[in-house]
Coordinates of all heavy atoms in Angstrom, one line a residue:
M1 N 0.8 -1.2 0.0 CA 0.0 0.0 0.0 C 0.9 1.2 0.0 O 1.8 1.3 0.8 CB -0.9 0.0 1.2 CG -1.8 1.2 1.3 SD -2.8 1.0 2.9 CE -4.3 1.8 2.3
A2 N 0.6 2.2 -0.9 CA 1.3 3.4 -0.9 C 1.1 4.3 0.3 O 0.0 4.3 0.8 CB 0.9 4.2 -2.2
P3 N 2.2 5.0 0.8 CA 2.0 5.8 1.9 C 1.0 7.0 1.6 O 0.9 7.5 0.5 CB 3.4 6.4 2.2 CG 4.2 6.1 1.0 CD 3.5 5.0 0.2
V4 N 0.2 7.3 2.6 CA -0.8 8.4 2.4 C -0.2 9.7 2.9 O 0.3 9.8 4.0 CB -2.1 8.0 3.3 CG1 -3.1 9.2 3.2 CG2 -2.7 6.7 2.8
D5 N -0.3 10.7 2.0 CA 0.1 12.0 2.4 C -0.9 12.8 3.2 O -2.0 13.1 2.6 CB 0.5 12.8 1.1 CG 1.0 14.2 1.4 OD1 1.2 14.5 2.6 OD2 1.3 14.9 0.4
L6 N -0.7 13.0 4.4 CA -1.7 13.6 5.3 C -1.4 15.1 5.4 O -2.1 15.8 6.2 CB -1.7 13.0 6.7 CG -2.2 11.5 6.7 CD1 -2.2 11.0 8.1 CD2 -3.6 11.5 6.1
T7 N -0.5 15.7 4.7 CA -0.3 17.1 4.8 C -1.4 17.8 4.1 O -2.0 17.4 3.1 CB 1.0 17.5 4.1 OG1 1.0 17.0 2.7 CG2 2.2 17.0 4.8
I8 N -1.8 18.9 4.7 CA -3.0 19.6 4.2 C -2.6 20.7 3.2 O -3.4 21.1 2.3 CB -3.8 20.3 5.4 CG1 -5.2 20.7 5.0 CG2 -3.0 21.4 6.0 CD1 -6.0 21.0 6.2
S9 N -1.4 21.2 3.2 CA -1.0 22.4 2.5 C -1.1 22.3 0.9 O -1.4 23.3 0.3 CB 0.3 22.9 2.9 OG 1.3 21.9 2.8
P10 N -0.8 21.1 0.3 CA -0.8 21.0 -1.1 C -2.1 21.5 -1.8 O -2.1 22.1 -2.8 CB -0.5 19.6 -1.4 CG 0.3 19.1 -0.2 CD -0.4 19.8 0.9
W11 N -3.2 21.2 -1.2 CA -4.5 21.5 -1.8 C -5.2 22.7 -1.1 O -6.0 23.4 -1.6 CB -5.5 20.3 -1.8 CG -5.7 19.7 -0.5 CD1 -5.0 18.6 0.0 CD2 -6.6 20.0 0.5 NE1 -5.5 18.3 1.3 CE2 -6.5 19.1 1.6 CE3 -7.6 21.0 0.6 CZ2 -7.2 19.2 2.8 CZ3 -8.4 21.1 1.8 CH2 -8.2 20.2 2.8
R12 N -4.8 23.0 0.2 CA -5.4 24.0 1.0 C -5.4 25.4 0.3 O -6.3 26.2 0.5 CB -4.8 24.0 2.4 CG -5.4 25.0 3.4 CD -6.7 24.4 4.0 NE -7.1 25.1 5.2 CZ -7.7 26.2 5.3 NH1 -7.8 26.9 4.2 NH2 -8.0 26.8 6.4
D13 N -4.3 25.6 -0.4 CA -4.1 27.0 -1.0 C -5.3 27.3 -2.0 O -5.5 28.5 -2.3 CB -2.8 27.1 -1.7 CG -1.6 27.1 -0.8 OD1 -1.9 27.3 0.4 OD2 -0.5 26.9 -1.2
A14 N -5.9 26.3 -2.6 CA -7.0 26.5 -3.6 C -8.4 26.4 -2.9 O -9.4 26.5 -3.6 CB -6.9 25.5 -4.7
A15 N -8.4 26.3 -1.6 CA -9.7 26.1 -0.9 C -10.6 27.3 -1.0 O -10.2 28.4 -0.8 CB -9.5 25.7 0.5
A16 N -11.8 27.1 -1.4 CA -12.8 28.2 -1.5 C -13.1 28.8 -0.2 O -13.5 30.0 -0.2 CB -14.1 27.6 -2.2
C17 N -13.0 28.1 0.9 CA -13.3 28.7 2.2 C -12.3 29.8 2.5 O -12.7 30.7 3.3 CB -13.3 27.6 3.3 SG -12.0 26.4 3.2
L18 N -11.1 29.8 2.0 CA -10.2 30.9 2.2 C -10.7 32.2 1.8 O -10.4 33.2 2.3 CB -8.8 30.6 1.6 CG -8.0 29.4 2.1 CD1 -6.8 29.2 1.3 CD2 -7.7 29.6 3.6
A19 N -11.5 32.2 0.7 CA -12.1 33.4 0.2 C -13.4 33.7 0.8 O -14.1 34.7 0.4 CB -12.3 33.3 -1.3
N20 N -13.9 33.0 1.8 CA -15.2 33.2 2.5 C -15.0 33.2 4.0 O -15.5 32.3 4.7 CB -16.2 32.1 2.0 CG -16.6 32.2 0.6 OD1 -17.5 33.0 0.2 ND2 -15.8 31.5 -0.3
P21 N -14.2 34.1 4.5 CA -13.9 34.1 5.9 C -15.1 34.3 6.8 O -15.1 34.0 8.0 CB -12.9 35.2 6.1 CG -13.2 36.1 5.0 CD -13.6 35.3 3.8
D22 N -16.2 34.8 6.3 CA -17.4 35.0 7.1 C -18.3 33.8 7.2 O -19.3 33.8 8.0 CB -18.2 36.2 6.5 CG -17.5 37.5 6.6 OD1 -16.6 37.6 7.5 OD2 -17.8 38.4 5.8
V23 N -18.0 32.8 6.5 CA -18.8 31.5 6.6 C -18.2 30.6 7.6 O -17.0 30.4 7.7 CB -18.8 30.8 5.2 CG1 -19.5 29.5 5.3 CG2 -19.4 31.7 4.1
D24 N -19.1 30.1 8.5 CA -18.7 29.2 9.6 C -18.6 27.8 9.1 O -19.7 27.2 8.8 CB -19.6 29.4 10.8 CG -19.2 28.6 12.0 OD1 -18.2 28.0 12.0 OD2 -20.0 28.7 13.0
F25 N -17.5 27.2 9.1 CA -17.3 25.8 8.7 C -17.3 24.8 9.9 O -17.2 23.6 9.7 CB -16.1 25.6 7.8 CG -16.2 26.2 6.4 CD1 -16.0 27.5 6.2 CD2 -16.7 25.4 5.4 CE1 -16.1 28.1 4.9 CE2 -16.9 26.0 4.1 CZ -16.6 27.3 3.9
F26 N -17.5 25.4 11.0 CA -17.6 24.6 12.3 C -18.9 25.0 13.0 O -18.8 25.4 14.2 CB -16.4 24.7 13.1 CG -15.2 24.0 12.4 CD1 -14.4 24.8 11.6 CD2 -14.9 22.7 12.7 CE1 -13.3 24.2 10.9 CE2 -13.8 22.1 12.0 CZ -13.0 22.8 11.2
P27 N -20.0 25.0 12.4 CA -21.3 25.5 13.0 C -21.8 24.4 14.0 O -21.4 23.2 13.9 CB -22.2 25.6 11.9 CG -21.8 24.6 10.9 CD -20.3 24.6 11.0
P28 N -22.6 24.8 15.0 CA -23.3 23.8 15.8 C -24.1 22.8 14.9 O -24.6 23.2 13.9 CB -24.2 24.6 16.7 CG -23.7 26.0 16.6 CD -23.0 26.2 15.3
R29 N -24.1 21.6 15.3 CA -24.8 20.5 14.5 C -26.2 20.8 14.2 O -26.7 20.3 13.2 CB -24.6 19.2 15.1 CG -23.1 18.8 15.2 CD -22.9 17.4 15.8 NE -21.4 17.3 15.9 CZ -20.8 16.2 16.3 NH1 -21.5 15.2 16.7 NH2 -19.5 16.1 16.4
E30 N -26.9 21.6 15.0 CA -28.3 21.9 14.8 C -28.5 23.1 14.0 O -29.7 23.5 13.6 CB -29.1 22.0 16.1 CG -28.7 23.2 17.0 CD -27.4 22.9 17.8 OE1 -26.7 21.9 17.6 OE2 -27.0 23.8 18.6
D31 N -27.5 23.9 13.6 CA -27.6 25.1 12.9 C -27.7 24.8 11.4 O -26.7 24.9 10.7 CB -26.5 26.1 13.2 CG -26.7 27.5 12.7 OD1 -27.5 27.6 11.8 OD2 -26.0 28.4 13.1
T32 N -28.8 24.4 10.9 CA -29.0 24.0 9.5 C -28.7 25.1 8.5 O -28.2 24.9 7.4 CB -30.4 23.4 9.3 OG1 -31.4 24.4 9.7 CG2 -30.6 22.1 10.1
L33 N -29.0 26.4 8.9 CA -28.7 27.5 8.0 C -27.2 27.7 7.8 O -26.8 27.8 6.7 CB -29.4 28.8 8.5 CG -29.3 30.0 7.7 CD1 -29.9 29.8 6.3 CD2 -29.9 31.2 8.3
A34 N -26.5 27.6 8.9 CA -25.0 27.8 8.8 C -24.4 26.6 8.0 O -23.5 26.8 7.2 CB -24.4 27.9 10.2
I35 N -25.0 25.4 8.2 CA -24.5 24.3 7.5 C -24.7 24.4 6.0 O -23.9 24.1 5.2 CB -25.1 23.0 8.1 CG1 -24.6 22.7 9.5 CG2 -24.9 21.8 7.1 CD1 -25.3 21.6 10.2
A36 N -25.9 24.9 5.7 CA -26.2 25.1 4.2 C -25.3 26.2 3.6 O -24.9 26.0 2.5 CB -27.7 25.6 4.1
R37 N -25.0 27.2 4.4 CA -24.1 28.2 3.8 C -22.7 27.6 3.6 O -22.1 27.9 2.6 CB -24.0 29.4 4.8 CG -25.2 30.3 4.9 CD -25.0 31.5 5.8 NE -24.1 32.4 5.1 CZ -23.3 33.3 5.7 NH1 -23.2 33.3 7.0 NH2 -22.5 34.1 5.1
A38 N -22.2 26.8 4.5 CA -20.9 26.2 4.3 C -20.9 25.2 3.1 O -20.0 25.2 2.3 CB -20.5 25.5 5.6
R39 N -22.0 24.5 3.0 CA -22.1 23.5 1.9 C -22.1 24.2 0.5 O -21.6 23.7 -0.4 CB -23.4 22.7 2.0 CG -23.4 21.6 3.0 CD -24.7 20.9 2.8 NE -25.2 20.1 3.9 CZ -24.9 18.8 4.1 NH1 -24.1 18.2 3.4 NH2 -25.5 18.2 5.1
A40 N -22.8 25.4 0.5 CA -22.8 26.2 -0.8 C -21.4 26.6 -1.2 O -21.1 26.5 -2.4 CB -23.7 27.4 -0.6
V41 N -20.6 26.9 -0.3 CA -19.2 27.3 -0.6 C -18.4 26.0 -1.1 O -17.7 26.0 -2.1 CB -18.5 27.9 0.6 CG1 -17.0 28.2 0.3 CG2 -19.1 29.2 1.0
C42 N -18.6 24.9 -0.3 CA -17.9 23.7 -0.7 C -18.4 23.2 -2.1 O -17.6 22.6 -2.8 CB -18.3 22.6 0.3 SG -17.6 22.9 2.0
A43 N -19.6 23.4 -2.4 CA -20.1 23.0 -3.7 C -19.4 23.6 -4.9 O -19.3 23.0 -6.0 CB -21.6 23.3 -3.9
A44 N -18.8 24.7 -4.7 CA -18.1 25.4 -5.8 C -16.5 25.3 -5.5 O -15.8 26.0 -6.3 CB -18.5 26.9 -5.8
C45 N -16.1 24.5 -4.6 CA -14.7 24.5 -4.3 C -14.0 23.5 -5.2 O -14.4 22.4 -5.4 CB -14.6 24.0 -2.8 SG -12.8 23.9 -2.3
P46 N -12.8 24.0 -5.8 CA -12.1 23.1 -6.7 C -11.3 21.9 -6.0 O -10.9 21.0 -6.7 CB -11.1 24.1 -7.4 CG -10.9 25.1 -6.4 CD -12.2 25.3 -5.6
V47 N -11.2 22.0 -4.7 CA -10.5 20.9 -4.0 C -11.4 20.2 -3.0 O -10.9 19.6 -2.0 CB -9.2 21.5 -3.3 CG1 -8.2 21.9 -4.4 CG2 -9.6 22.6 -2.4
A48 N -12.7 20.1 -3.3 CA -13.6 19.5 -2.4 C -13.3 18.0 -2.2 O -13.4 17.5 -1.1 CB -15.1 19.6 -2.9
D49 N -12.9 17.3 -3.3 CA -12.6 15.9 -3.2 C -11.4 15.7 -2.2 O -11.4 14.8 -1.4 CB -12.3 15.2 -4.5 CG -13.6 15.1 -5.4 OD1 -14.7 15.2 -4.8 OD2 -13.4 14.9 -6.6
E50 N -10.3 16.5 -2.5 CA -9.1 16.4 -1.6 C -9.5 16.7 -0.2 O -9.0 16.0 0.8 CB -8.1 17.4 -2.1 CG -7.5 17.0 -3.4 CD -8.2 17.5 -4.6 OE1 -9.4 17.9 -4.5 OE2 -7.7 17.5 -5.8
C51 N -10.3 17.7 0.0 CA -10.7 18.1 1.4 C -11.5 16.9 2.1 O -11.2 16.6 3.2 CB -11.6 19.3 1.3 SG -12.3 19.9 2.8
L52 N -12.4 16.4 1.4 CA -13.2 15.3 1.9 C -12.3 14.1 2.3 O -12.4 13.5 3.3 CB -14.3 14.8 1.0 CG -15.2 13.7 1.5 CD1 -15.8 13.9 2.8 CD2 -16.2 13.3 0.4
N53 N -11.4 13.7 1.3 CA -10.5 12.6 1.6 C -9.6 12.8 2.8 O -9.4 11.9 3.6 CB -9.7 12.3 0.3 CG -10.4 11.6 -0.8 OD1 -11.4 11.0 -0.5 ND2 -10.0 11.8 -2.0
W54 N -9.1 14.1 2.9 CA -8.3 14.4 4.0 C -9.1 14.2 5.4 O -8.6 13.6 6.3 CB -7.7 15.8 3.9 CG -6.7 16.1 4.9 CD1 -5.3 15.8 4.8 CD2 -6.9 16.7 6.2 NE1 -4.7 16.2 6.0 CE2 -5.6 16.8 6.8 CE3 -8.0 17.2 6.9 CZ2 -5.5 17.3 8.1 CZ3 -7.8 17.7 8.1 CH2 -6.6 17.8 8.7
A55 N -10.3 14.7 5.4 CA -11.1 14.7 6.6 C -11.4 13.2 6.9 O -11.5 12.8 8.1 CB -12.4 15.4 6.3
L56 N -11.7 12.4 5.9 CA -11.9 10.9 6.1 C -10.7 10.2 6.6 O -10.7 9.5 7.6 CB -12.4 10.3 4.8 CG -13.8 10.7 4.3 CD1 -14.0 10.1 2.9 CD2 -14.9 10.3 5.3
L57 N -9.5 10.5 6.0 CA -8.3 9.9 6.4 C -7.9 10.2 7.8 O -7.3 9.4 8.6 CB -7.2 10.2 5.5 CG -7.2 9.5 4.1 CD1 -6.3 10.2 3.1 CD2 -6.9 8.1 4.2
T58 N -8.1 11.5 8.2 CA -7.7 12.0 9.5 C -8.9 11.9 10.6 O -8.7 12.3 11.7 CB -7.2 13.4 9.4 OG1 -8.2 14.2 8.9 CG2 -5.9 13.4 8.6
N59 N -10.0 11.4 10.1 CA -11.2 11.2 11.0 C -11.6 12.5 11.7 O -11.7 12.5 13.0 CB -11.0 10.1 11.9 CG -12.3 9.5 12.4 OD1 -13.3 9.7 11.9 ND2 -12.2 8.7 13.5
Q60 N -11.7 13.6 11.0 CA -12.1 14.9 11.6 C -13.4 14.8 12.4 O -14.4 14.4 11.8 CB -12.1 16.0 10.5 CG -10.8 16.3 9.9 CD -9.8 16.8 11.0 OE1 -10.1 17.8 11.6 NE2 -8.7 16.1 11.1
P61 N -13.4 15.2 13.7 CA -14.6 15.0 14.5 C -15.6 16.1 14.4 O -16.7 16.0 14.9 CB -14.0 14.9 15.9 CG -12.8 15.8 15.8 CD -12.2 15.6 14.4
D62 N -15.3 17.2 13.7 CA -16.2 18.4 13.7 C -16.1 19.0 12.3 O -15.2 18.8 11.5 CB -15.8 19.4 14.7 CG -15.9 18.9 16.1 OD1 -17.1 18.5 16.5 OD2 -15.0 18.9 16.9
G63 N -17.0 19.9 12.1 CA -16.9 20.8 10.9 C -17.5 20.2 9.6 O -17.9 19.0 9.5
I64 N -17.6 21.1 8.6 CA -18.0 20.7 7.3 C -16.7 20.6 6.4 O -15.9 21.6 6.3 CB -18.9 21.8 6.7 CG1 -20.1 22.1 7.6 CG2 -19.4 21.4 5.3 CD1 -21.0 21.0 7.9
W65 N -16.5 19.5 5.9 CA -15.3 19.2 5.1 C -15.8 18.6 3.8 O -16.6 17.6 3.8 CB -14.4 18.2 5.7 CG -13.7 18.7 7.0 CD1 -14.3 18.7 8.3 CD2 -12.4 19.3 7.1 NE1 -13.4 19.3 9.2 CE2 -12.3 19.6 8.5 CE3 -11.4 19.6 6.2 CZ2 -11.1 20.2 9.0 CZ3 -10.2 20.1 6.7 CH2 -10.1 20.4 8.1
G66 N -15.4 19.1 2.7 CA -15.8 18.6 1.4 C -17.3 18.6 1.2 O -17.9 17.8 0.5
G67 N -18.0 19.5 1.9 CA -19.4 19.6 1.8 C -20.2 18.6 2.7 O -21.4 18.5 2.6
H68 N -19.5 17.9 3.5 CA -20.2 16.9 4.3 C -20.0 17.1 5.8 O -19.0 17.5 6.3 CB -19.6 15.5 4.0 CG -19.8 15.0 2.6 ND1 -20.9 14.3 2.3 CD2 -19.1 15.2 1.5 CE1 -20.9 14.1 1.0 NE2 -19.8 14.6 0.5
T69 N -21.1 16.8 6.5 CA -21.1 16.9 8.0 C -20.4 15.8 8.6 O -20.1 14.8 7.9 CB -22.6 17.0 8.5 OG1 -23.2 15.7 8.2 CG2 -23.4 18.1 7.9
V70 N -20.2 15.8 9.9 CA -19.5 14.7 10.6 C -20.3 13.5 10.5 O -19.8 12.4 10.3 CB -19.1 15.1 12.0 CG1 -20.4 15.3 12.9 CG2 -18.2 14.1 12.6
K71 N -21.6 13.6 10.6 CA -22.5 12.4 10.6 C -22.4 11.8 9.2 O -22.3 10.5 9.1 CB -23.9 12.8 10.9 CG -24.9 11.7 11.0 CD -26.3 12.2 11.4 CE -27.3 11.0 11.4 NZ -28.6 11.5 11.7
E72 N -22.4 12.6 8.1 CA -22.3 12.0 6.8 C -20.9 11.4 6.6 O -20.8 10.3 5.9 CB -22.5 13.2 5.7 CG -23.9 13.7 5.7 CD -24.1 15.0 5.0 OE1 -23.0 15.7 4.8 OE2 -25.2 15.4 4.7
R73 N -19.9 12.0 7.1 CA -18.5 11.5 6.9 C -18.4 10.2 7.6 O -17.7 9.3 7.2 CB -17.5 12.5 7.4 CG -17.4 13.7 6.5 CD -16.1 14.5 6.8 NE -15.9 14.8 8.2 CZ -16.3 15.9 8.8 NH1 -17.1 16.7 8.1 NH2 -16.1 16.1 10.0
R74 N -19.0 10.0 8.8 CA -19.0 8.8 9.5 C -19.5 7.6 8.7 O -19.0 6.5 8.6 CB -19.7 8.9 10.9 CG -18.9 9.5 11.9 CD -19.5 9.3 13.3 NE -18.9 10.2 14.3 CZ -19.6 11.1 15.0 NH1 -20.9 11.2 14.9 NH2 -18.9 11.9 15.8
A75 N -20.7 7.9 8.0 CA -21.3 6.9 7.2 C -20.4 6.6 6.0 O -20.2 5.4 5.7 CB -22.6 7.4 6.7
I76 N -19.8 7.6 5.4 CA -18.9 7.3 4.2 C -17.7 6.5 4.7 O -17.3 5.5 4.1 CB -18.4 8.6 3.6 CG1 -19.6 9.4 3.0 CG2 -17.3 8.4 2.6 CD1 -19.3 10.8 2.6
R77 N -17.1 6.9 5.9 CA -15.9 6.3 6.4 C -16.2 4.8 6.8 O -15.4 3.9 6.5 CB -15.5 7.0 7.6 CG -14.0 6.7 8.0 CD -13.5 7.8 8.9 NE -12.1 7.7 9.1 CZ -11.5 6.9 9.9 NH1 -12.2 6.1 10.7 NH2 -10.2 6.8 10.0
R78 N -17.4 4.6 7.3 CA -17.8 3.2 7.7 C -17.8 2.3 6.4 O -17.3 1.2 6.4 CB -19.1 3.2 8.4 CG -19.4 2.0 9.2 CD -20.6 2.1 10.1 NE -21.7 3.0 9.7 CZ -22.0 4.2 10.3 NH1 -21.3 4.6 11.3 NH2 -22.9 5.0 9.8
T79 N -18.5 2.8 5.4 CA -18.5 2.0 4.1 C -17.2 1.8 3.6 O -16.8 0.7 3.1 CB -19.4 2.8 3.1 OG1 -20.7 3.0 3.7 CG2 -19.5 2.1 1.8
W80 N -16.4 2.9 3.6 CA -15.0 2.9 3.0 C -14.2 1.8 3.8 O -13.5 1.0 3.2 CB -14.5 4.3 3.2 CG -13.1 4.6 2.7 CD1 -12.7 4.4 1.4 CD2 -12.1 5.3 3.4 NE1 -11.4 4.9 1.3 CE2 -11.0 5.4 2.5 CE3 -12.0 5.8 4.7 CZ2 -9.9 6.0 2.9 CZ3 -10.8 6.4 5.1 CH2 -9.8 6.5 4.2
L81 N -14.2 1.8 5.1 CA -13.5 0.8 5.9 C -13.9 -0.6 5.6 O -13.1 -1.5 5.5 CB -13.5 1.2 7.4 CG -12.8 2.4 7.8 CD1 -13.1 2.8 9.3 CD2 -11.3 2.3 7.6
E82 N -15.3 -0.8 5.5 CA -15.8 -2.1 5.2 C -15.3 -2.6 3.9 O -14.9 -3.8 3.7 CB -17.3 -2.1 5.3 CG -17.9 -1.9 6.7 CD -19.4 -1.6 6.7 OE1 -20.0 -1.5 5.6 OE2 -19.9 -1.4 7.8
E83 N -15.3 -1.7 2.9 CA -14.9 -2.1 1.6 C -13.4 -2.4 1.6 O -12.9 -3.3 0.9 CB -15.2 -1.0 0.6 CG -16.6 -0.9 0.2 CD -17.0 0.3 -0.6 OE1 -16.1 1.1 -1.0 OE2 -18.2 0.4 -1.0
S84 N -12.6 -1.6 2.4 CA -11.1 -1.9 2.4 C -10.9 -3.3 3.1 O -10.0 -4.0 2.6 CB -10.5 -0.8 3.3 OG -10.6 0.4 2.7
Q85 N -11.7 -3.6 4.1 CA -11.5 -4.9 4.8 C -11.8 -6.0 3.9 O -11.2 -7.1 3.9 CB -12.3 -4.9 6.1 CG -11.7 -4.1 7.2 CD -12.6 -3.9 8.4 OE1 -13.7 -4.3 8.4 NE2 -12.0 -3.4 9.5
R86 N -12.9 -5.9 3.1 CA -13.3 -6.9 2.2 C -12.3 -7.1 1.1 O -12.1 -8.3 0.7 CB -14.7 -6.6 1.5 CG -15.9 -7.1 2.3 CD -17.1 -7.1 1.5 NE -17.5 -5.8 1.0 CZ -18.3 -4.9 1.7 NH1 -18.7 -5.3 2.8 NH2 -18.6 -3.8 1.2
A87 N -11.6 -6.1 0.7 CA -10.7 -6.1 -0.4 C -9.3 -6.7 0.1 O -8.6 -7.2 -0.8 CB -10.4 -4.7 -1.0
S88 N -9.1 -6.7 1.4 CA -7.8 -7.2 1.9 C -7.8 -8.7 2.2 O -8.8 -9.3 2.2 CB -7.3 -6.4 3.1 OG -8.2 -6.5 4.1
Ligands
SF4_101 S1 -14.6 21.6 0.3 FE1 -15.3 23.3 1.7 S2 -14.2 23.0 3.6 FE2 -13.1 21.9 2.0 S3 -11.6 23.2 1.3 FE3 -13.3 23.5 -0.1 S4 -14.5 25.1 0.8 FE4 -13.0 24.5 2.3

């Protein structure tokens, strides 16, 4: 298995959130309006896939990453780990 690069900087420079400092990417889980605002920025982000993969690999416990909430990431991660185990 190839080593995984967990550094954030290679893709972070192109992150759309850098140009949207007023948007909260770590809103309370019940704040659906703030979550929708963050998702809208992520939807237009050129590095959303890299962001989501990084959040999955590092198991980020909070925030919106790649347009996904922590609950959504947990579901993706669970499926991803199950598929990895089946493949090995
Ligand atoms: S996907 Fe969203 S949180 Fe991730 S870098 Fe892009 S704008 Fe920022």
Side-chain angles (χ1 to χ4, degrees):
M1 179 182 213
V4 177
D5 182 1
L6 293 180
T7 55
I8 196 169
S9 56
W11 55 266
R12 182 81 163 75
D13 291 345
C17 42
L18 294 178
N20 292 275
D22 295 336
V23 176
D24 184 2
F25 287 85
F26 292 88
R29 293 179 187 186
E30 66 280 3
D31 190 342
T32 55
L33 183 59
I35 291 170
R37 288 186 72 208
R39 282 188 204 270
V41 175
C42 295
C45 180
V47 291
D49 289 344
E50 291 86 345
C51 174
L52 177 58
N53 284 337
W54 190 86
L56 292 171
L57 286 168
T58 57
N59 203 13
Q60 291 299 304
D62 295 302
I64 307 297
W65 295 82
H68 294 272
T69 64
V70 65
K71 186 176 178 185
E72 293 165 344
R73 291 196 308 274
R74 279 196 194 120
I76 294 169
R77 198 163 193 276
R78 197 166 33 247
T79 301
W80 182 52
L81 291 173
E82 287 168 1
E83 287 174 358
S84 296
Q85 286 173 347
R86 270 198 298 272
S88 63

